[in-house]
Amino acid sequence: MDLSLLNLFTAAGIITLGSVLQASTGLGSGLITVPLLALISLQFIPGPLIFASLTLSSLMAWRGRSSIDFRNVKTLTIGLIAGTAIGTLSISAVPLDRAGIVFGLLVLLAVAITAAGIQIRHNRSNLLAAGALSGFMGVTASIGAPVIAILYQREEARTLRATLAVLYCISSAVMVAFLHLGGRFELKELRLGLCLIPGFLIGYFLAAPIARVLDKGYSRIAVLVISTVSAIILIARSI
């Protein structure tokens, strides 16, 4: 489908909202942006959204570069690459008209993982498994962040934000590369991704003042509720 100017402005607004909520709740913006963007057009997912998200994660990683914990980055990256490769093969086999069902189910899975708030030990096996699941979910539906976020949820806030940001940078770059190899990130996806970047930039600069006034408890619940409802609507519309 051809996207109108209104579609693009609406998508940019959704990206801005997701970026601001990520800063105030600690949840990955993909939880809310994926199902809402998919309701506009499945063309935004996963390639354009992953490519555009590099803007936000790069800015956050640079800002917190002195607080990054590099101890587990290598092991997680190995898992990410493996999961991304498997996910790329999987998504290539999914017809676009049925992709909404896959995206919706993965959003619900990410919501469940986030709501559970379980603690995972940082051993090699868990890191590889978490990286693989994150890579698979990221490349298939742009929502690999919750899996990695659970690993670091009990870290000091500054370390959490910076380490997650650099991991998001690495994973997003790997995912875009694999999507290109799988024929799912070409010039059209690049153009759509560029259209989404302003939303991430606006969200980044608005996040600090808004995060100070948002009630984190209620906003976290709101993100989970909106994500769940949007995913259910997306699945119902795709059946």
Side-chain angles (χ1 to χ4, degrees):
M1 64 175 286
D2 292 327
L3 294 172
S4 67
L5 197 57
L6 177 60
N7 289 147
L8 295 175
F9 275 115
T10 303
I14 291 170
I15 293 295
T16 300
L17 174 63
S19 300
V20 171
L21 286 175
Q22 178 170 336
S24 62
T25 66
L27 296 176
S29 62
L31 270 177
I32 193 167
T33 56
V34 168
L36 291 177
L37 284 177
L39 289 174
I40 298 174
S41 173
L42 292 174
Q43 295 180 62
F44 288 115
I45 305 166
L49 179 57
I50 294 173
F51 171 76
S53 71
L54 274 165
T55 305
L56 179 62
S57 54
S58 298
L59 288 171
M60 294 181 67
W62 176 256
R63 185 177 63 185
R65 60 192 180 280
S66 62
S67 302
I68 296 173
D69 175 14
F70 285 103
R71 290 174 298 173
N72 300 315
V73 170
K74 180 180 178 180
T75 305
L76 279 167
T77 301
I78 293 172
L80 280 166
I81 293 173
T84 301
I86 296 171
T88 302
L89 294 175
S90 301
I91 195 173
S92 297
V94 178
L96 188 60
D97 60 346
R98 289 288 179 235
I101 298 175
V102 176
F103 296 153
L105 291 174
L106 287 175
V107 169
L108 292 178
L109 175 59
V111 168
I113 291 172
T114 304
I118 56 178
Q119 186 173 6
I120 302 175
R121 289 186 299 169
H122 288 193
N123 58 47
R124 183 174 176 82
S125 298
N126 287 343
L127 290 168
L128 286 171
L133 181 57
S134 177
F136 178 85
M137 292 178 64
V139 79
T140 53
S142 309
I143 46 171
V147 181
I148 296 178
I150 284 177
L151 284 174
Y152 285 92
Q153 64 182 319
R154 301 190 188 280
E155 298 288 337
E156 195 268 334
R158 188 181 304 171
T159 301
L160 170 67
R161 288 192 299 268
T163 305
L164 288 180
V166 75
L167 285 169
Y168 295 165
C169 280
I170 294 171
S171 62
S172 296
V174 170
M175 289 172 195
V176 168
F178 271 92
L179 284 170
H180 176 67
L181 292 175
R184 297 299 293 266
F185 190 83
E186 304 293 345
L187 185 58
K188 181 183 73 174
E189 287 77 19
L190 175 62
R191 288 171 176 166
L192 285 176
L194 292 173
C195 290
L196 296 178
I197 286 178
F200 279 108
L201 291 174
I202 294 171
Y204 175 78
F205 290 110
L206 287 180
I210 292 179
R212 288 194 291 266
V213 298
L214 279 177
D215 173 35
K216 295 185 179 181
Y218 287 117
S219 55
R220 178 184 175 87
I221 293 173
V223 170
L224 295 177
V225 171
I226 292 172
S227 302
T228 301
V229 172
S230 300
I232 291 172
I233 294 174
L234 178 60
I235 292 171
R237 200 179 73 170
S238 303
I239 294 176

